[in-house]
mmCIF file of all heavy atoms in Angstrom:
data_model
loop_
_atom_site.group_PDB
_atom_site.id
_atom_site.type_symbol
_atom_site.label_atom_id
_atom_site.label_comp_id
_atom_site.label_asym_id
_atom_site.label_seq_id
_atom_site.Cartn_x
_atom_site.Cartn_y
_atom_site.Cartn_z
ATOM 1 N N HIS A 33 -162.525 166.605 81.841
ATOM 2 C CA HIS A 33 -162.663 165.983 83.131
ATOM 3 C C HIS A 33 -161.660 164.799 83.284
ATOM 4 O O HIS A 33 -160.910 164.501 82.356
ATOM 5 C CB HIS A 33 -164.148 165.447 83.315
ATOM 6 C CG HIS A 33 -165.139 166.548 83.184
ATOM 7 N ND1 HIS A 33 -165.993 166.631 82.088
ATOM 8 C CD2 HIS A 33 -165.391 167.625 83.951
ATOM 9 C CE1 HIS A 33 -166.796 167.715 82.230
ATOM 10 N NE2 HIS A 33 -166.440 168.328 83.380
ATOM 11 N N HIS A 34 -161.682 164.194 84.455
ATOM 12 C CA HIS A 34 -160.765 163.081 84.675
ATOM 13 C C HIS A 34 -160.966 161.971 83.670
ATOM 14 O O HIS A 34 -162.081 161.716 83.241
ATOM 15 C CB HIS A 34 -161.012 162.486 86.116
ATOM 16 C CG HIS A 34 -160.515 163.408 87.195
ATOM 17 N ND1 HIS A 34 -159.210 163.364 87.642
ATOM 18 C CD2 HIS A 34 -161.130 164.351 87.941
ATOM 19 C CE1 HIS A 34 -159.057 164.270 88.575
ATOM 20 N NE2 HIS A 34 -160.198 164.890 88.778
ATOM 21 N N GLY A 35 -159.856 161.322 83.282
ATOM 22 C CA GLY A 35 -159.943 160.223 82.412
ATOM 23 C C GLY A 35 -158.952 160.264 81.208
ATOM 24 O O GLY A 35 -158.230 161.261 81.025
ATOM 25 N N PHE A 36 -158.944 159.167 80.470
ATOM 26 C CA PHE A 36 -157.999 159.047 79.345
ATOM 27 C C PHE A 36 -158.230 160.112 78.312
ATOM 28 O O PHE A 36 -157.263 160.589 77.680
ATOM 29 C CB PHE A 36 -158.143 157.627 78.705
ATOM 30 C CG PHE A 36 -157.368 157.507 77.423
ATOM 31 C CD1 PHE A 36 -156.028 157.316 77.401
ATOM 32 C CD2 PHE A 36 -158.069 157.553 76.198
ATOM 33 C CE1 PHE A 36 -155.317 157.188 76.249
ATOM 34 C CE2 PHE A 36 -157.329 157.434 74.982
ATOM 35 C CZ PHE A 36 -155.990 157.248 75.027
ATOM 36 N N SER A 37 -159.473 160.493 78.045
ATOM 37 C CA SER A 37 -159.815 161.421 76.984
ATOM 38 C C SER A 37 -159.043 162.749 77.179
ATOM 39 O O SER A 37 -158.457 163.281 76.261
ATOM 40 C CB SER A 37 -161.283 161.676 76.906
ATOM 41 O OG SER A 37 -161.578 162.560 75.862
ATOM 42 N N ALA A 38 -159.107 163.285 78.417
ATOM 43 C CA ALA A 38 -158.434 164.579 78.697
ATOM 44 C C ALA A 38 -156.882 164.419 78.526
ATOM 45 O O ALA A 38 -156.263 165.291 77.935
ATOM 46 C CB ALA A 38 -158.745 165.041 80.103
ATOM 47 N N ASP A 39 -156.344 163.297 78.990
ATOM 48 C CA ASP A 39 -154.936 163.054 78.860
ATOM 49 C C ASP A 39 -154.512 163.017 77.400
ATOM 50 O O ASP A 39 -153.447 163.547 77.005
ATOM 51 C CB ASP A 39 -154.572 161.737 79.538
ATOM 52 C CG ASP A 39 -154.653 161.733 81.059
ATOM 53 O OD1 ASP A 39 -154.453 162.839 81.596
ATOM 54 O OD2 ASP A 39 -155.025 160.772 81.635
ATOM 55 N N PHE A 40 -155.310 162.343 76.551
ATOM 56 C CA PHE A 40 -155.035 162.233 75.177
ATOM 57 C C PHE A 40 -154.999 163.556 74.469
ATOM 58 O O PHE A 40 -154.053 163.915 73.782
ATOM 59 C CB PHE A 40 -156.074 161.301 74.482
ATOM 60 C CG PHE A 40 -155.925 161.281 73.015
ATOM 61 C CD1 PHE A 40 -154.947 160.518 72.366
ATOM 62 C CD2 PHE A 40 -156.805 161.972 72.177
ATOM 63 C CE1 PHE A 40 -154.787 160.493 71.005
ATOM 64 C CE2 PHE A 40 -156.685 161.985 70.802
ATOM 65 C CZ PHE A 40 -155.671 161.216 70.207
ATOM 66 N N TRP A 41 -156.063 164.357 74.682
ATOM 67 C CA TRP A 41 -156.174 165.667 74.007
ATOM 68 C C TRP A 41 -155.151 166.662 74.550
ATOM 69 O O TRP A 41 -154.652 167.545 73.750
ATOM 70 C CB TRP A 41 -157.565 166.194 74.111
ATOM 71 C CG TRP A 41 -158.507 165.403 73.244
ATOM 72 C CD1 TRP A 41 -159.555 164.557 73.641
ATOM 73 C CD2 TRP A 41 -158.526 165.358 71.847
ATOM 74 N NE1 TRP A 41 -160.110 164.032 72.583
ATOM 75 C CE2 TRP A 41 -159.559 164.454 71.450
ATOM 76 C CE3 TRP A 41 -157.776 165.947 70.822
ATOM 77 C CZ2 TRP A 41 -159.842 164.174 70.104
ATOM 78 C CZ3 TRP A 41 -158.021 165.685 69.503
ATOM 79 C CH2 TRP A 41 -159.065 164.845 69.126
ATOM 80 N N LEU A 42 -154.799 166.560 75.789
ATOM 81 C CA LEU A 42 -153.701 167.380 76.319
ATOM 82 C C LEU A 42 -152.356 167.043 75.643
ATOM 83 O O LEU A 42 -151.581 167.947 75.253
ATOM 84 C CB LEU A 42 -153.556 167.256 77.832
ATOM 85 C CG LEU A 42 -154.561 168.005 78.705
ATOM 86 C CD1 LEU A 42 -154.537 167.480 80.141
ATOM 87 C CD2 LEU A 42 -154.275 169.504 78.659
#
Side-chain angles (χ1 to χ4, degrees):
H33 302 110
H34 286 275
F36 171 78
S37 181
D39 291 327
F40 172 78
W41 289 110
L42 280 166

